[in-house]
């Protein structure tokens, strides 16, 4: 997770004023939140009148790509139907340099990892219901999962062109098969469900009543209804606690998906993580490469199991 995040007090005065205008009151307290990889702010704020909200803001000075992601999230969050298990967008400010998003505050904590059975069941049930709510995808979201993940799923091709010295021997011996599997996975991403595409424990909140809220939506796109459930199982494989293969067969959205399609999507993400991990860290996000390596290394045994 990022260790270089700026805070509410680091924001320029006009940006803070714009947020206060959205809230209709003066902010008197702000608590920076942990988790995630954005170097921008992530603050739970309280106004003089007691109103609470969540504010995230960033400029190119922290990371040149982050403002684009915030703008995408503003557009997507505004299009989410009320029944989606996501925070409500209260407003946004964009001055061409700084962009700030203001959401309803959601009380909760991230799921425990290694994953706990009850929390995992609640998350998977929520994602299954969410897929129904978000099918068809809102018209404002036009990007497809194949477009969103097209470059990422080319990771094995880039690894084959320039194999790192520490590439796992099993993977090194099967680079053509892994490239083909990832291509199959990319082709399997057709669908008209709005998929979050970045489901991990740190993008989920468990409320006091056990309800689940899905946060951070900048990558959302149109894809198959089962994709977010599969991403949760990838996170289970990374953090441990359960057998993702058994869960894959047991859950209604994933049980009937073609074996080769699932294997292909797993191959696509594994190649993306391992290829990304060897790149220089993005400005302001020094820890993301280590997390990509952790995920890639964790997925390889599951991928090998499925590919025989």
């Amino acid at each position: 997770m990022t260790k270089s995040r700026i805070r509410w007090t680091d924001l320029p005065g006009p940006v803070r004023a714009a947020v206060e205008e959205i809230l209709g009151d003066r902010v008197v307290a702000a608590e920076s939140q942990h988790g995630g990889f954005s170097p921008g702010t992530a603050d739970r704020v309280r106004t003089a009148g007691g109103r609470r909200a969540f504010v995230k803001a960033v400029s190119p000075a922290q990371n040149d790509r982050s403002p684009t992601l915030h703008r995408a999230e503003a557009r997507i969050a505004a299009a989410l139907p009320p029944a989606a298990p996501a925070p409500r967008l209260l407003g946004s400010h964009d001055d061409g340099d700084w962009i700030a998003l203001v959401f309803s505050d959601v009380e909760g904590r991230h799921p425990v990892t290694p994953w706990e059975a009850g929390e995992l069941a609640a998350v998977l049930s929520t994602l299954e219901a969410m897929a129904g709510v978000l099918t068809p995808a809102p018209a404002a979201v036009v990007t497809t999962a194949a477009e969103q993940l097209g470059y990422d799923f080319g990771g094995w091709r880039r690894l084959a062109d320039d194999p790192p010295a520490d590439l796992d021997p099993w993977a090194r011996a099967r680079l053509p098969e892994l490239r083909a599997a990832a291509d199959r996975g990319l082709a399997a991403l057709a669908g008209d469900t709005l998929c979050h595409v970045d489901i991990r424990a740190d993008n989920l909140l468990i409320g006091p009543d056990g309800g689940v809220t899905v946060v951070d939506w900048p990558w959302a796109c149109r894809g198959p209804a089962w994709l977010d459930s599969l991403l949760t199982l990838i996170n289970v494989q990374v953090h441990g606690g359960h057998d993702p293969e058994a869960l894959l067969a047991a859950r209604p959205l994933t049980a009937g998906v073609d074996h080769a399609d699932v294997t292909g999507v797993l191959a696509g993400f594994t190649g993306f993580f391992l290829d990304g991990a060897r790149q220089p860290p993005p400005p302001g996000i020094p820890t993301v490469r280590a997390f990509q390596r952790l995920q890639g290394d964790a997925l390889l045994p599951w991928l090998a199991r499925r590919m025989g």
Side-chain angles (χ1 to χ4, degrees):
M1 308 306 169
T2 185
K3 298 185 184 300
S4 56
R5 172 168 287 156
I6 60 172
R7 297 171 180 265
W8 167 257
T9 52
D10 297 319
L11 296 177
V15 178
R16 296 198 305 270
V19 170
E20 291 175 331
E21 184 175 352
I22 291 169
L23 293 172
D25 199 359
R26 180 170 54 93
V27 171
V28 296
E31 182 182 357
S32 184
Q33 302 299 292
H34 303 291
F37 292 96
S38 172
T41 65
D43 287 288
R44 297 179 76 175
V45 303
R46 177 172 53 83
T47 69
R51 187 179 188 184
R52 296 183 179 274
F54 176 75
V55 178
K56 56 195 301 186
V58 76
S59 78
Q62 289 78 53
N63 177 271
D64 59 355
R65 292 190 62 196
S66 292
T68 299
L69 295 177
H70 275 41
R71 291 184 178 102
E73 184 169 12
R75 183 179 69 255
I76 292 161
L80 291 175
R88 185 166 62 92
L89 180 68
L90 303 178
S92 61
H93 163 77
D94 188 348
D95 59 20
D97 185 30
W98 285 92
I99 175 164
L101 310 182
V102 184
F103 292 94
S104 58
D105 186 43
V106 176
E107 186 178 358
R109 57 168 177 79
H110 299 309
V112 173
T113 53
W115 281 82
E116 187 273 329
E119 292 181 359
L120 179 57
V123 166
L124 290 170
S125 295
T126 297
L127 295 178
E128 288 156 5
M130 184 175 83
V133 169
L134 297 180
T135 305
V141 181
V142 297
T143 303
T144 67
E147 292 167 338
Q148 189 79 279
L149 297 169
Y151 177 83
D152 298 346
F153 274 36
W156 286 116
R157 185 167 288 104
R158 293 186 292 275
L159 287 163
D161 290 342
D162 182 21
D166 62 350
L167 184 62
D168 180 89
W170 176 87
R172 184 182 294 273
R174 291 165 178 79
L175 285 169
E177 297 169 58
L178 289 164
R179 288 172 52 179
D183 289 345
R184 168 73 180 256
L186 193 65
L189 295 177
D192 194 27
T193 298
L194 181 63
C195 302
H196 180 280
V197 192
D198 199 22
I199 296 289
R200 306 186 307 259
D202 60 297
N203 281 337
L204 299 163
L205 293 175
I206 308 290
D209 62 353
V212 178
T213 302
V214 183
V215 302
D216 290 345
W217 288 77
W219 301 105
C221 54
R222 295 172 178 263
W226 47 266
L227 181 56
D228 284 338
S229 292
L230 179 60
L231 283 162
T232 305
L233 301 186
I234 286 175
N235 200 243
V236 171
Q237 175 70 9
V238 171
H239 290 296
H242 301 272
D243 177 9
E245 192 67 40
L247 290 165
L248 190 72
R251 302 302 303 194
L253 275 186
T254 55
V257 182
D258 184 277
H259 183 280
D261 287 349
V262 171
T263 302
V265 173
L266 288 176
F269 279 112
T270 306
F272 162 58
F273 293 141
L274 293 177
D275 177 55
R278 61 185 182 151
Q279 308 304 322
I285 317 177
T287 58
V288 69
R289 300 309 186 199
F291 186 56
Q292 287 177 326
R293 182 58 187 258
L294 173 70
Q295 293 178 100
D297 287 347
L299 284 181
L300 268 178
W302 188 14
L303 184 58
R305 176 180 170 188
R306 291 187 65 87
M307 293 181 67

